Each structure stands twice: as structure tokens, then as C-alpha cells.
Amino acid sequence: MVWRRVLHSLRAGPATEPAGPVPDETVSALAARLDAAAQRRLGRSLAIRHVDAGSCNGCELEIVALGNIVYDLERFGLRFVASPRHADVLLVTGPLTRNLREALVLTLNATPEPRWVVAVGDCGVDGGVFKGSYAVNGGVSAAVAVDLFIPGCPPSPAELLAGLRALLEANTHRS
Amino acid sequence: MAAALTGEPTLALIALWADPDHAHAILLDEVLLVVLPVSVAIEAGFYPALSPARPVAAWLERMIFDLWGHTAFGGTDPRPWLDHGRWPSLHPMASPPRGMGPPAEPPEFLPCEGDDLHQVAVGPIHAGIIEPGHFRFSASGETVVRLEIRLGYAHKGTLGLMRGKPIRVAARFAARLSGDTTVAHGTAFAMAVEAALGVEIPARAESLRAAMLEIERIANHLGDIGAICNDAAFAFAAARFGFHREAMLRAAMWAFGHRLMMDTVIPGGIAGDISEHGALTVLAAVAAVEAELPELARVIENYSSLADRMVSTGIVSPELARRFAAGGFVGRASGRDFDARRLPLPGGRAPEPEFTVRIPVLTAGDIDARLRVRLAEITESIRLLRRRLGNLPEGAVAVALPNAGGEGIGCVESFRGDIWTWVQIDGGHVENAFLRDPSWNQWPLLEAAVRGTIVADFPLINKSFNCSYSGVDL
Ligand code: SF4
């Protein structure tokens, strides 16, 4: 039964879409931040560790979607890893709740250099609608330095992909 | 009240919350389907505990103490819940909040004694792309003796932010209590406001809300079934379900302008009409799901290595599901046949017979049963969605809200189960609100379902529940 389905899928061709251009401004802004050592070490591949710093889980849904066969994140050399110790990038969502702040800082400290922090969603950028609450710090950069912001509520998988590919491109342009 | 509850086994405790001067509860007579709101004044900082009669109240009583400072007299568990000792004040929802909190202390977990027991601590940050929470396993070898869940890491102060806000602004917080149920929470909030103000919304808005709820349900079921298959290393099914979920979200984007349809529901109706060809686009996406679903379901059912992981793993007994009033597929897989779509509509109207929900109720209570219920729900949601979109009433999609006041309750069947929302409105502003996510009644059952399984099965069992963290962290 499975094999019949698999054969059918093989004949039907891939569902994965061709990818559009990445934003130039983001590329050049990031290129300035990266050095040759990082290039040698990372090449065209980035390992990403996701951290939910108190999101509503909307951003997570779209990050998960990056792995579906339509976006197929891994074809770009981007993949999610289970430990910050294996990661080049921390992909952080949520308004940074006070209850999660310490865990985020510990996660960052466990991530080897060179590393990048990407703040995802309007919440990650500055707290979004939750800004001003007693329970949030108001964005990822309240606790850790952020290299790239991807706004949106939530950002679409296409927007997330454009940002992450910009990180890769910036890396390549430096060499 | 606790004593009265003990003698009334058919009265389910649905929600428990507070305001600065009262404790409130919603009870549901499960036989007559009658909703009973109850309120008691806080006296000298106390209200009578319900946790001895209804264990589901335990987390809620801890939440009430942390937020409002009221103590449940005779409660079963006095430990803090949402307050991890990191907020600028104690009891931030009390008026006025009470000074500085104590420094953060390591959480106290229930003791677990015995030879060769060890503890496994997981989280708050997990290995996958999921929400933050801490799981403390006490295990004997591979076998879990006790799981204790500690949440609150996603506490954003949502209820406090809603207070004093204009209705439309407050609705944005309801839509962000749990992103995967943004339509359902948005609708429950809107219905509570409409009940409080005595507003009737246009028939077209009611139909479009119902359609969006079914789209949200189908998309979540597709995504979660795919994720469960993925966790059991069955990549093929994960790929196909993920593909269909993406198609549903794109159709939603086309029809309503947002992939998750966030902020589309507003108190008074919906923010904008469905786009031209929107209905056709959505119907095309579900037709593709319908065409492939029977075969995918057969593949899942016949795949023995999948069955090996799912059958008789993570069991919730019907007795427990009933005691905790577990909603949605968690309840339906364990013999509890409750669906908020069967409750009377606003104004006491009976639900239309053509939209009567028919979903199987199973009793095995394992991962497999929860998955089967969800597969069946997709088919039923497709049927309901076709009826809704195939016959949309004409007319406006929203009415203006009067500048009045009042108190109201809204209830919506989300993909996860019944959502209950309560609001007090004064002069067009929200005075107090509470949003009860179905996860309050499901998380504690996860603790029970994991007992006696092996630690390695936890991710799969957890995913088969898919409780919301943000939804209960508030
Ligand atoms: S940016 Fe929007 S979708 Fe993302 S966590 Fe915040 S509220 Fe949720």
C-alpha cells in the first residue's frame, strides 16, 4: 500500500517550489557582520536552534511549516538541531517573558561562537502587542544581542526563509 | 459548593477564575447541557476550594492565587504556578498589586520515593520546535513512575493587558492567547462580548465564522497527524499531511487575507468579507484532502511499526476523561461525547439540524484512538465546511457595537476542544475577562497517561494530546 503511494508521488514530481530572490538590503547589512573565519568554519550551511521565549505558538506553526515539502528548508543547507551546542543560529520567538529570560541567556551561553541570533515575529522584535506587560521584557534584544529581525505576526514561511537565506548569502559574500 | 459538587457527578467544572473581589466558576450539566455560571465574593482573602471535589481545579486555584492573591480555602495544592518569582510585583491582577515578589527559588516538585528511582528533567527549552515547559520525570529504569508538569514560562500577562482596553483592542489579545486556535479564541471572545451587549450578528458573519472554525480545525488536524507520524519516523505520511496543511493555509490566505486568519473575527461580526473566489479556493483545497485522505488513513492503519508505537500507549481512562471534563479529541477518544457545536446558539436558538456534528466516540483512550478520532473529524469538518460555504447567506458581515455594558459568556468548539470566554464590559471597554483554553482540562491527563510508559514514548504521547502551553500560561 505504501509503495503504491510512494510510486504515485514519485511520478507526480516534487511539490517543492522554486525559491524567489532574497532581499538585497538584508544581505548587505548582514555581510558586514561576518568574517572570513566564520566562512571557513560554516561554509554554506547553518544549524538552527529554535527557542520559544513565550510566543503564542503562531510563529512556531510557520517555523514548522519551513520543513514541509513545499518549502523544504534543508535544500538550502539550513536545518534544525536539537541542542544549542550544535547550533550556529538561535531562532527566537515571543515577547521574551520574564519567566523565560534566564533560560534564553543560558541557551545563548551554550551556543558556540560564531553564532547569530534571529528574533522572529512582532513579539520577538519588540514585544509586539504584549509590550508593556508586567510579565514580558519586550523583545529578544532586551536580553541578548540580535543580528537579524524578521517581523510579522506571524511572519510567513516565505518571509522566514528569505531572512534565513540572507544569513547564508551574507556568509558567502564575505569570502 | 465543593460538597454540593461531590454529590453531583454529572456537573462538570469547566472553568475557574477570579476578579479583584470575586471567584467565578462555570459548571456544565453534562446530561441536560445546561451552563451554570457561579460567583462568590472573596472574604478576607479566601474562597471555598473546588479541588477536593474536582481535581481539575488544582492548577486553576494555584493560578488564581498567583494572579489575584485569593486563597482557595481547603485547596489540595498551595504551590505557586504561573509566578516563578520573576515578576516586578506579587499578584499582578490584584488592585493594587502587592509590592515586590520574592527572589526566584527552585521549584518544589512532589516527592517520589523508592529504590532505584531517578529523575529526568526536561525543558523549559525543548529539542523540537515546540513551546516552553518543564517536565520532571521520576523513572525506574525506563519506566515512568510519575510525570510532573511545570508551566508558566509563556506567561505574558494577557488578562492584565485586556483590562481597560477598548473591545476591538482587547480582541487582539484573545486572538493571540494560542495562535493555533486564533479563530476559535477570537470567536469565543466575540460571542462573549455580543452576549454581554445583547448584540445579534448578521447571518453571513455567523456562517463565515463557522466556516473559518472548520478550516482551522482541518488545518490543525492535518498538521498534528503529520507531526505524530513524523515522531514515529514515518516520513511519508508526515510529508503528505504537511503538504495538505500548507494548501489549507494558502487557501485561508486567499479567502481571508491571513494564513492563520488572525484578527479576522471581531466582536460584532468579521473584519472583512470572504474574497471573491475565496470559497472556491477553500473548497478546492479540501477536495484535494478528501481525495487523498482515505488512502493515507489506510496506510497509517496498516503500518505495523506505527501501530506498535500507538496502540495501547498513553492511555486515558473514560473515568478520568469524565472527571476532568476533557474536551475535543482527548475526551472523544476516551468516551466523553461533548461537542460545543451542539450547545444552543446565541439567543437560545437550537443548532440547525443540517449542521449537526457526527463524530465517532472511542473508549480505548490511547494515541491510536486520539489519532482515529482526529482523522474522522477531518471528514466531518469537510462536510460541514461544504454546507457552510455552498450556501452563504447574503448581507453585511458586521454590526456596530452599542456603547453599553454587561457580562457575557462565549463558548466555541476549537480543534482542541471547548473554549469558554467570560467578559465584563463597561462603556465599550473590557473591565475583566477570562479565557479558558481546553488545555486546562487536558494537561493533567497527560501526566496520568504517561505513568507506566517508557520515557522514550513521551514525545509521541505529548504530541497526541498537543495541549497549548501559551493557552494556559495566559
Ligand atoms: S508575533 Fe504574532 S504570531 Fe508570533 S508569537 Fe507574537 S503574537 Fe504570536
Side-chain angles (χ1 to χ4, degrees):
Chain A
M1 184 68 80
V2 181
W3 298 115
R4 194 148 55 80
R5 280 283 334 152
V6 171
L7 258 175
H8 173 80
S9 299
L10 283 176
R11 272 204 304 274
T16 311
E17 292 180 333
V22 301
D24 283 342
E25 292 158 50
T26 328
V27 173
S28 38
L30 284 161
R33 298 190 58 94
L34 302 168
D35 59 18
Q39 162 60 19
R40 271 202 311 280
R41 210 168 134 184
L42 303 176
R44 280 194 59 89
S45 147
L46 290 174
I48 306 166
R49 177 60 263 212
H50 159 256
V51 179
D52 179 336
S55 93
C56 78
N57 81 30
C59 282
E60 277 59 35
L61 293 174
E62 297 297 50
I63 293 174
V64 168
L66 287 174
N68 73 30
I69 55 172
V70 179
Y71 300 105
D72 189 17
L73 182 78
E74 298 209 4
R75 72 182 141 149
F76 302 105
L78 299 164
R79 74 205 151 89
F80 285 96
V81 293
S83 166
R85 296 187 202 285
H86 305 157
D88 309 306
V89 178
L90 289 188
L91 193 65
V92 191
T93 64
L96 188 56
T97 58
R98 287 180 189 262
N99 284 352
L100 201 96
R101 183 191 177 112
E102 185 187 354
L104 174 65
V105 172
L106 290 175
T107 305
L108 183 80
N109 293 344
T111 312
E113 306 243 24
R115 63 190 179 208
W116 291 271
V117 177
V118 180
V120 170
D122 290 351
C123 287
V125 170
D126 66 356
V129 296
F130 302 103
K131 206 170 9 190
S133 164
Y134 64 85
V136 308
N137 283 122
V140 177
S141 58
V144 300
V146 173
D147 300 288
L148 173 65
F149 294 95
I150 306 180
C153 186
S156 67
E159 287 162 337
L160 288 165
L161 202 49
L164 292 173
R165 286 176 62 215
L167 267 184
L168 273 180
E169 293 294 327
N171 200 13
T172 315
H173 284 201
R174 280 294 295 178
S175 57
Chain B
M1 190 150 72
L5 276 178
T6 314
E8 297 286 348
T10 62
L11 270 189
L13 177 64
I14 296 296
L16 183 63
W17 72 97
D19 67 38
D21 308 306
H22 305 86
H24 305 276
I26 294 177
L27 303 171
L28 174 75
D29 186 312
E30 299 240 72
V31 180
L32 303 173
L33 286 190
V34 176
V35 179
L36 304 164
V38 189
S39 300
V40 294
I42 302 294
E43 281 176 37
F46 290 93
Y47 64 99
L50 297 183
S51 48
R54 293 289 182 278
V56 69
W59 285 15
L60 291 154
E61 287 169 357
R62 292 164 73 181
M63 174 273 291
I64 289 174
F65 180 76
D66 288 357
L67 293 185
W68 286 278
H70 311 321
T71 304
F73 185 75
T76 53
D77 193 343
R79 292 174 299 160
W81 181 243
L82 296 178
D83 188 348
H84 296 190
R86 295 169 192 274
W87 301 337
S89 68
L90 284 176
H91 315 308
M93 298 285 288
S95 43
R98 316 220 183 109
M100 282 288 288
E105 276 178 28
E108 235 184 81
F109 289 94
L110 294 174
C112 213
E113 283 169 22
D115 287 344
D116 56 89
L117 279 189
H118 62 280
Q119 292 207 329
V120 185
V122 181
I125 296 174
H126 301 289
I129 305 169
I130 58 170
E131 298 178 72
H134 182 86
F135 300 109
R136 183 64 63 104
F137 299 91
S138 299
S140 167
E142 273 199 297
T143 307
V144 179
V145 176
R146 186 207 290 278
L147 162 66
E148 196 177 349
I149 300 170
R150 182 176 192 244
L151 301 178
Y153 297 94
H155 177 71
K156 295 179 267 296
T158 299
L159 299 178
L161 286 165
M162 290 174 82
R163 274 203 309 211
K165 293 283 192 321
I167 290 169
R168 278 290 291 271
V169 177
R172 294 173 65 81
F173 293 102
R176 285 161 181 77
L177 183 75
S178 183
D180 50 15
T181 35
T182 178
V183 175
H185 272 292
T187 305
F189 176 78
M191 286 171 70
V193 170
E194 289 148 12
L197 302 181
V199 170
E200 239 180 78
I201 65 164
R204 186 174 178 84
E206 199 170 86
S207 285
L208 284 170
R209 281 183 186 176
M212 283 189 273
L213 284 167
E214 298 309 332
I215 296 171
E216 184 172 84
R217 190 179 337 272
I218 295 168
N220 277 303
H221 284 342
L222 289 169
D224 286 353
I225 293 172
I228 290 169
C229 292
N230 198 44
D231 264 22
F234 190 25
F236 165 71
R240 295 310 305 161
F241 280 102
F243 173 81
H244 285 297
R245 174 182 161 84
E246 178 66 23
M248 289 299 298
L249 297 196
R250 288 184 178 198
M253 175 78 196
W254 180 268
F256 297 102
H258 190 286
R259 283 165 57 90
L260 305 178
M261 300 170 284
M262 206 173 247
D263 301 324
T264 310
V265 175
I266 55 168
I270 63 171
D273 208 338
I274 188 168
S275 70
E276 206 191 338
H277 309 309
L280 284 178
T281 314
V282 170
L283 291 174
V286 294
V289 175
E290 196 177 40
E292 196 175 351
L293 193 65
E295 208 171 338
L296 284 174
R298 259 200 311 278
V299 167
I300 289 178
E301 281 165 18
N302 294 341
Y303 212 67
S304 52
S305 58
L306 205 57
D308 185 48
R309 297 286 311 274
M310 300 195 308
V311 175
S312 70
T313 308
I315 296 174
V316 175
S317 70
E319 164 62 12
L320 259 190
R322 191 186 58 74
R323 280 184 65 198
F324 279 79
F329 54 88
V330 173
R332 270 170 226 134
S334 296
R336 182 168 181 267
D337 186 15
F338 176 77
D339 192 312
R341 286 171 288 184
R342 298 193 192 119
L343 290 177
L345 297 169
R349 287 171 293 139
E352 300 96 326
E354 62 168 324
F355 299 122
T356 303
V357 186
R358 293 188 295 258
I359 298 173
V361 175
L362 307 179
T363 51
D366 54 5
I367 300 178
D368 182 64
R370 287 187 282 280
L371 192 106
R372 280 172 200 266
V373 169
R374 298 184 82 170
L375 280 167
E377 286 191 23
I378 295 177
T379 307
E380 179 64 353
S381 287
I382 292 176
R383 185 184 73 83
L384 294 170
L385 186 54
R386 281 221 175 92
R387 296 220 159 190
R388 290 286 182 192
L389 289 181
N391 186 19
L392 278 178
E394 293 298 325
V397 294
V399 290
L401 299 178
N403 190 3
E407 187 174 328
I409 289 175
C411 177
V412 165
E413 184 72 16
S414 74
F415 88 93
R416 194 175 264 127
D418 42 317
I419 287 174
W420 298 77
T421 299
W422 167 86
V423 287
Q424 273 178 339
I425 307 282
D426 190 22
H429 288 64
V430 170
E431 229 180 338
N432 285 299
F434 185 69
L435 319 171
R436 203 248 23 187
D437 193 88
S439 307
W440 282 106
N441 301 48
Q442 297 167 345
W443 272 118
L445 297 180
L446 175 63
E447 289 185 340
V450 168
R451 209 165 294 150
T453 63
I454 57 173
V455 179
D457 274 339
F458 177 71
L460 201 58
I461 301 172
N462 189 17
K463 204 146 276 169
S464 80
F465 277 74
N466 188 22
C467 300
S468 174
Y469 300 65
S470 181
V472 298
D473 280 352
L474 299 167

